[in-house]
Amino acid sequence: MSVLPWLSHEKFSHNTRTSIGQYSFNWLNFTFLLFTLIPAPLVMKIPALLPQPRVLNVEENSFFTIPRVTTIGMADATDWEAVHRLCEILPAYSVHLDLPDVASTVVIRRDATIPAQGYRIKIAADSILIEANGVGLHNAMTTLRQWFSQASENQVPCCFIDDAPDFAVRGVYYDVARGRVPKLKQLMILADGLAAAKINHLQLYIEHTFIFRKHPKIGENASPLQPQDILLLDAHCASRGIELVPSLATFGHLASVLKHPEYHALAEDLGVGQYVDPDAQEKKKWLTATAWTLSPANPDIYTFLDSLLCEFLPLFRSKQFNICCDETLDLGLGQSYELCQERGKGRVYLDHILKVRELAAKYGKTVMFWGDIISHYPELIPEIPKDVTLLDWGYGWNHDTSSVNKFAEAGLPLYVCPGTNSWISLFPRMIHGEVNIHNFAQAGKDVNGTGLLNTDWGDGGHYNFMELSWPGYWFGAEQGWNTNAHRKTFHERFCKLFLKSDNTRLPSMLRHLGQLASITVDGFYGQYWRHLLFADANTWPRLIGELNADHCVSGKFTQGPLTANRRFGSDTLRELGQVRAVFEQVEKEKGVDPAGVLPYWIFAVDAIACAARRLALLGPDPDAAPLSSDEQTRRVHRILSDLRDLRRRFTTLWHGRNRPSELPITLGYYDNAIAALEAQLP
């Protein structure tokens, strides 16, 4: 090992470290360089871990051999649930209480000096010692399962791990209100996959997709969740160490409810776009969405909300409740115009928060809400009760995260809420999302934030399958646990642990697809390829030619010109072909992809490829002769064939894991794009 003394140089220092022999350095850099510079027989393969521990010291050429029967000594019965998770991967085991005069292969002990949720693991040649504080034992077992799952010839390297999370709460927020409600089994699979990355908090965003017996119109024809779905999912989450927290829109974002005539009187605009503010018609259309916000000028809204909460909140064992209250776009324009003129819009908004807080208290819940509106009224933030949690959100790769400071200064519990950037995309704007998540995680850690809640929305229709978001979920899980984890090696570790694949090309292809997917252009929120795929006659001209775009190259974003012409489409098609070939190769390997995500990833590649082909065949090319009528027709038919095939495959994938829900909303994008192309035919 003396051939590598320079590896201990300061430039390799990192909070997550490995000691091998007399040298201490970054373990992933070590693995890479060792594979590169030293003959294979000398290589010691270090298992991947995700989230990456704060401290990982691996003993050189020292191994623990998993015995035929593992004896486990635990402190008491409260350890059993966590112990059972470890037992699931052992060939055989025998569980006992830890006694000072009786040896066990695995010994579990309590240590109150370890930080909350933290743990220590010492793997020696003949024994394993686990020390934890409370739920830290559950986290220790998750790490051991990952370590043991990579055993070679029934052996794992000896090591010492000292670990604890940066954020007490590490969560995922999944949207079930924008057209798609997963089957219960799929929601349970979601919980399993999140728990495997030490996620301990899950919320489902609901506007109308829960069946209320007092309000049968709400959720009609939307395959809403039933009370028993919540109860079963809640119990399943609890068994995985996850708190299932109720979330329900209680202010804005209620068009799916207020559209019904019987609820029009509760809406700010009386459900029909009736405004009092004389300037309302001058505002942008999206600021005056019809039947959008409950009006606090009508006291009946609180009776209505209570009638919802009494059927909903008692189903959850959690003592928290996300009341949402974001994007109240038309507040003060209609029924509450005079009230807001008299008291101020910020005061009216905060009063509503406090009233819903009182309603939630009836059911033993404290509340949290999105902080976008109250952030415009910083003078009111100190008046928020200290039992209320603020959710500070933003999804841009360059989002200004300094907003966390105003909430932290008020002494309020704070969750930072970045996003996977999966919505309005055919495949997640993955690198965009990773930058957003990391920046928010760092900002939240700097102010001692309580949690990181990683959001996954379905704006405008759910063509972003849950299966596409797993890299984002696990990246958020790691950043919530260890903000200083190695971001450059995340995809390698994700592919190894989530997909169970050792394919050396898979991580780079996943990363490359994430970069291609992260292109956005001015004037269009969301992914460029999504807009191009579904473009109609009016939007197509705005998506071709010289554009201003955000590009991602080698994980770095730049803003500048993009020439969207046939060559760009052809180049993208070639790159997507390379990605698809690797995905198909991995899909055929034995024992990989236990969650079955690769068919969804391949579909996403094909959807982006259809958009790129549309550009390659029909986009501008100043160096080529104009297309003849026959050639134009042939090319349009090719794109139509692709779109119809995608629509059919999309429907099959949807029904495989999701309820019928409101599938026509999403299929409408395909239908509109098909109709626009058909209109070009003679």
Side-chain angles (χ1 to χ4, degrees):
M1 300 288 283
S2 60
V3 298
L4 302 174
W6 55 273
L7 286 178
S8 61
H9 192 276
E10 183 181 22
K11 71 178 180 179
F12 283 92
S13 65
H14 199 282
N15 285 2
T16 302
R17 304 179 67 85
T18 300
S19 297
I20 300 183
Q22 60 179 308
Y23 303 109
S24 179
F25 46 86
N26 176 299
W27 76 270
L28 285 155
N29 285 333
F30 161 75
T31 304
F32 172 78
L33 290 167
L34 203 56
F35 269 99
T36 305
L37 302 177
I38 297 181
L42 299 180
V43 169
M44 178 182 181
K45 187 175 181 181
I46 300 175
L49 291 175
L50 202 165
Q52 205 169 64
R54 289 186 181 183
V55 175
L56 168 63
N57 298 325
V58 178
E59 294 185 28
E60 181 181 6
N61 296 325
S62 181
F63 298 91
F64 170 82
T65 301
I66 301 173
R68 294 178 59 187
V69 179
T70 302
T71 57
I72 301 174
M74 64 182 189
D76 57 38
T78 60
D79 293 345
W80 169 243
E81 190 169 299
V83 168
H84 183 257
R85 297 187 66 251
L86 176 62
C87 292
E88 290 173 346
I89 64 169
L90 296 173
Y93 60 90
S94 175
V95 179
H96 309 272
L97 293 177
D98 176 35
L99 301 175
D101 52 350
V102 180
S104 296
T105 313
V106 178
V107 174
I108 299 169
R109 292 179 182 156
R110 308 275 177 78
D111 188 337
T113 66
I114 295 176
Q117 301 189 40
Y119 63 91
R120 288 192 292 264
I121 297 174
K122 172 63 177 176
I123 302 180
D126 58 355
S127 64
I128 298 176
L129 174 63
I130 304 168
E131 298 174 304
N133 180 3
V135 296
L137 178 58
H138 171 90
N139 295 323
M141 294 306 182
T142 300
T143 297
L144 278 176
R145 284 172 64 91
Q146 290 186 0
W147 199 258
F148 280 12
S149 72
Q150 300 164 77
S152 177
E153 298 182 354
N154 227 29
Q155 289 187 324
V156 294
C158 296
C159 68
F160 172 73
I161 298 173
D162 190 355
D163 202 14
D166 287 339
F167 292 90
V169 175
R170 302 166 304 282
V172 164
Y173 191 86
Y174 188 74
D175 184 349
V176 299
R178 309 299 179 81
R180 187 175 68 236
V181 180
K183 296 177 181 178
L184 177 61
K185 179 181 178 181
Q186 193 60 29
L187 291 173
M188 289 182 172
I189 290 173
L190 172 64
D192 292 342
L194 297 180
K198 298 190 176 78
I199 289 288
N200 62 3
H201 182 111
L202 174 63
Q203 296 186 36
L204 302 178
Y205 174 57
I206 294 174
E207 294 173 2
H208 66 303
T209 46
F210 178 81
I211 187 166
F212 294 97
R213 298 178 71 187
K214 294 183 179 180
H215 302 276
K217 278 288 187 180
I218 296 177
E220 189 177 47
N221 301 320
S223 305
L225 293 166
Q226 307 278 339
Q228 58 265 35
D229 295 324
I230 299 296
L231 292 167
L232 289 169
L233 181 60
D234 188 78
H236 187 81
C237 286
S239 71
R240 268 65 177 169
I242 294 175
E243 180 181 4
L244 182 66
V245 177
S247 176
L248 186 69
T250 62
F251 207 176
H253 276 284
L254 279 173
S256 54
V257 173
L258 298 176
K259 67 179 182 181
H260 299 293
E262 51 264 57
Y263 305 118
H264 280 180
L266 304 177
E268 179 69 13
D269 67 345
L270 295 175
V272 292
Q274 182 175 323
Y275 298 109
V276 178
D277 187 334
D279 298 325
Q281 301 307 320
E282 304 297 323
K283 297 184 180 296
K284 295 179 181 179
K285 185 176 180 181
W286 65 272
L287 289 172
T288 55
T290 302
W292 182 261
T293 304
L294 288 170
S295 178
N298 184 345
D300 290 344
I301 69 169
Y302 300 105
T303 303
F304 168 70
L305 286 173
D306 194 31
S307 72
L308 301 182
L309 302 189
C310 74
E311 292 193 48
F312 187 64
L313 293 184
L315 298 172
F316 298 81
R317 65 188 71 192
S318 172
K319 298 302 181 184
Q320 301 185 84
F321 172 36
N322 185 355
I323 63 176
C324 298
C325 299
D326 56 314
E327 296 184 323
T328 50
L329 305 178
D330 58 345
L331 178 63
L333 301 183
Q335 290 195 71
S336 68
Y337 174 74
E338 293 183 1
L339 181 64
C340 289
Q341 291 293 307
E342 176 186 347
R343 294 181 53 77
K345 189 180 295 187
R347 176 66 61 188
V348 171
Y349 179 87
L350 180 57
D351 286 348
H352 178 81
I353 298 294
L354 298 178
K355 288 175 182 176
V356 180
R357 172 177 172 267
E358 291 177 6
L359 292 177
K362 290 173 53 178
Y363 305 99
K365 313 294 187 187
T366 58
V367 303
M368 58 182 67
F369 70 99
W370 304 109
D372 55 309
I373 301 299
I374 200 66
S375 66
H376 295 293
Y377 306 96
E379 72 281 1
L380 298 177
I381 293 174
E383 298 185 28
I384 300 172
K386 296 300 185 279
D387 62 350
V388 174
T389 299
L390 261 295
L391 307 174
D392 191 17
W393 62 274
Y395 308 127
W397 64 268
N398 55 356
H399 178 75
D400 181 5
T401 58
S402 63
S403 55
V404 303
N405 296 322
K406 66 181 73 172
F407 297 132
E409 290 168 0
L412 296 165
L414 171 67
Y415 292 3
V416 290
C417 304
T420 61
N421 278 266
S422 302
W423 54 96
I424 315 183
S425 297
L426 304 175
F427 187 81
R429 304 183 301 282
M430 194 177 77
I431 309 302
H432 183 137
E434 289 173 6
V435 173
N436 172 243
I437 291 167
H438 172 73
N439 290 346
F440 247 129
Q442 189 62 61
K445 179 183 176 182
D446 289 345
V447 298
N448 298 313
T450 307
L452 186 152
L453 184 61
N454 192 12
T455 61
D456 189 9
W457 301 98
D459 291 32
H462 251 308
Y463 34 79
N464 48 310
F465 287 110
M466 178 191 293
E467 288 75 12
L468 308 181
S469 294
W470 280 109
Y473 295 159
W474 275 41
F475 186 83
E478 175 157 272
Q479 289 294 301
W481 184 276
N482 180 4
T483 306
N484 292 322
H486 298 271
R487 294 161 61 195
K488 290 185 178 179
T489 64
F490 166 79
H491 302 102
E492 284 78 4
R493 291 179 287 119
F494 172 81
C495 290
K496 173 66 178 177
L497 292 167
F498 184 84
L499 292 170
K500 311 298 182 186
S501 174
D502 291 315
N503 187 296
T504 56
R505 297 189 66 199
L506 180 59
S508 62
M509 289 297 102
L510 173 59
R511 186 182 302 111
H512 189 57
L513 176 60
Q515 290 187 171
L516 288 173
S518 294
I519 298 173
T520 60
V521 298
D522 286 359
F524 292 88
Y525 178 59
Q527 182 187 81
Y528 171 69
W529 302 111
R530 176 267 177 215
H531 292 291
L532 196 67
L533 180 68
F534 297 133
D536 58 21
N538 293 322
T539 57
W540 172 259
R542 298 165 54 204
L543 290 164
I544 58 176
E546 298 300 322
L547 307 172
N548 190 49
D550 286 4
H551 308 258
C552 178
V553 180
S554 301
K556 301 292 185 181
F557 278 93
T558 60
Q559 295 175 303
L562 169 70
T563 302
N565 58 12
R566 293 184 198 174
R567 174 176 291 182
F568 179 55
S570 297
D571 290 345
T572 302
L573 275 173
R574 183 177 61 255
E575 295 174 47
L576 290 169
Q578 297 170 355
V579 173
R580 195 187 203 281
V582 172
F583 285 4
E584 283 187 310
Q585 178 185 352
V586 173
E587 188 181 27
K588 296 174 183 176
E589 295 172 2
K590 186 177 180 180
V592 303
D593 190 21
V597 302
L598 282 172
Y600 293 83
W601 291 15
I602 291 171
F603 174 83
V605 171
D606 291 346
I608 296 175
C610 183
R613 187 172 295 111
R614 186 174 180 181
L615 182 61
L617 294 180
L618 303 175
D621 185 351
D623 298 327
L627 296 176
S628 68
S629 177
D630 287 346
E631 179 63 16
Q632 173 83 7
T633 297
R634 186 187 68 80
R635 295 187 179 197
V636 169
H637 274 299
R638 172 64 197 278
I639 304 303
L640 280 170
S641 176
D642 287 351
L643 275 170
R644 289 167 181 148
D645 182 61
L646 285 172
R647 186 187 190 281
R648 176 189 57 78
R649 290 170 58 196
F650 180 88
T651 303
T652 300
L653 289 170
W654 177 296
H655 286 303
R657 298 186 174 186
N658 304 283
R659 304 173 191 214
S661 312
E662 296 165 286
L663 177 57
I665 293 175
T666 307
L667 290 183
Y669 292 101
Y670 287 95
D671 294 337
N672 291 339
I674 290 170
L677 283 166
E678 287 176 336
Q680 297 182 27
L681 297 174

